[in-house]
Amino acid sequence: MHPYHGHKRDEILEALWTMAEDQLQTNADLAARVESTRLDTIVEEMIAEGDVVREGDKLALTEKSRPRAAQIIRRHRLAERMFCDLFGLEEQSWEASACTFEHILDETVTQSVCAFLGHPTVCPHGKPIPPGACCNGNHKPIEPIVISLKDLKVGQSGRIAYITPRTTRRLSRLVSYGVVPGSDVKLNQRYPSYVIRIDQTDVALETEIAKEIFVRVERE
Ligand SMILES: [Zn+2]
Ligand SMILES: [Zn+2]
């Protein structure tokens, strides 16, 4: 083992994960994301230990390293959600903290945060959050404070935390009704369609769309 490279190694795993999402694979792409004068040496060590695979000039995660990379990405993106949804902070004030938190959160805390936020599937940038053991819906130790609009009770109010629309067309339609993060909404009806009151106006939504709107509810 190479104890002094632990943190850099995590950074490399994280970079390889996000590079794959962005269709980037080369050494140069990695060097653009991870700063280290010893990058080549560390990558060689990781290849030797089966954490990184190189084919031609392309680098990738392996079956062995993917679960750990997923954990790091998961913690980072949950931390982003936490700063964004719970504390309502602007991105510039939480980006650095999210990077710190991904190294601090242990598995138990991560699961509590995940449940607390309603097991979110995307980060504030719209990137997928790898699911954890808590996300299968079988056990909910903590009642989430951010829930899908479709799970609101009639008469319940909240503030829109984030929206995960399947299409940009859908998003622009929602925006035109004022259905945007930060807006206060109240659910007035569930059947036959969802009707929310937003800014003195009633807006009817299909279930499919209601599912994609996440609301931060006030706890009594
Ligand atoms: Zn993000
Ligand atoms: Zn979860």
Side-chain angles (χ1 to χ4, degrees):
M1 284 277 101
H2 305 268
Y4 300 107
H5 297 163
H7 188 93
K8 254 324 148 193
R9 286 172 165 236
D10 279 357
E11 242 184 275
I12 291 168
L13 295 180
E14 186 174 19
L16 288 173
W17 182 287
T18 58
M19 279 160 58
E21 288 176 335
D22 298 339
Q23 321 275 320
L24 299 172
Q25 294 174 301
T26 68
N27 225 335
D29 297 325
L30 182 64
R33 294 186 184 210
V34 179
E35 214 178 304
S36 169
T37 50
R38 306 204 55 228
L39 184 61
D40 291 342
T41 312
I42 301 170
V43 168
E44 289 308 324
E45 287 169 2
M46 293 175 78
I47 290 172
E49 285 168 26
D51 284 334
V52 175
V53 63
R54 172 158 44 212
E55 263 180 54
D57 64 342
K58 292 175 178 161
L59 298 169
L61 296 167
T62 62
E63 285 307 306
K64 182 183 165 222
S65 61
R66 269 189 79 79
R68 170 149 186 90
Q71 276 301 311
I72 300 165
I73 294 290
R74 174 170 157 72
R75 290 197 299 261
H76 183 98
R77 291 179 180 168
L78 280 174
E80 290 183 337
R81 279 257 77 101
M82 185 171 73
F83 287 112
C84 186
D85 301 342
L86 290 187
F87 307 136
L89 297 174
E90 297 293 333
E91 176 162 3
Q92 59 266 29
S93 58
W94 53 250
E95 192 44 51
S97 310
C99 290
T100 310
F101 261 70
E102 78 194 30
H103 300 291
I104 293 171
L105 299 181
D106 69 14
E107 189 45 32
T108 316
V109 177
T110 302
Q111 290 201 19
S112 306
V113 169
C114 191
F116 205 63
L117 296 171
H119 307 281
T121 56
V122 294
C123 81
H125 306 101
K127 300 275 185 170
I129 299 175
C134 59
C135 301
N136 60 17
N138 288 341
H139 49 90
K140 287 184 181 163
I142 298 172
E143 199 185 316
I145 60 160
V146 175
I147 61 175
S148 168
L149 191 102
K150 83 170 207 327
D151 297 325
L152 276 186
K153 297 181 189 83
V154 170
Q156 203 176 7
S157 317
R159 178 164 293 174
I160 297 174
Y162 56 98
I163 303 171
T164 60
R166 208 128 328 135
T167 64
T168 46
R169 215 178 108 245
R170 216 174 244 186
L171 182 63
S172 44
R173 224 180 77 215
L174 290 173
V175 170
S176 72
Y177 290 126
V179 181
V180 291
S183 295
D184 291 319
V185 292
K186 184 175 173 200
L187 185 68
N188 279 344
Q189 176 189 304
R190 290 170 69 97
Y191 300 107
S193 63
Y194 283 81
V195 176
I196 56 171
R197 170 145 283 234
I198 188 157
D199 206 16
Q200 324 279 3
T201 312
D202 285 336
V203 179
L205 303 168
E206 294 148 45
T207 310
E208 269 309 295
I209 295 171
K211 261 194 225 166
E212 298 173 345
I213 299 169
F214 290 83
V215 174
R216 177 178 169 180
V217 291
E218 296 303 328
R219 292 219 237 196
E220 280 99 64

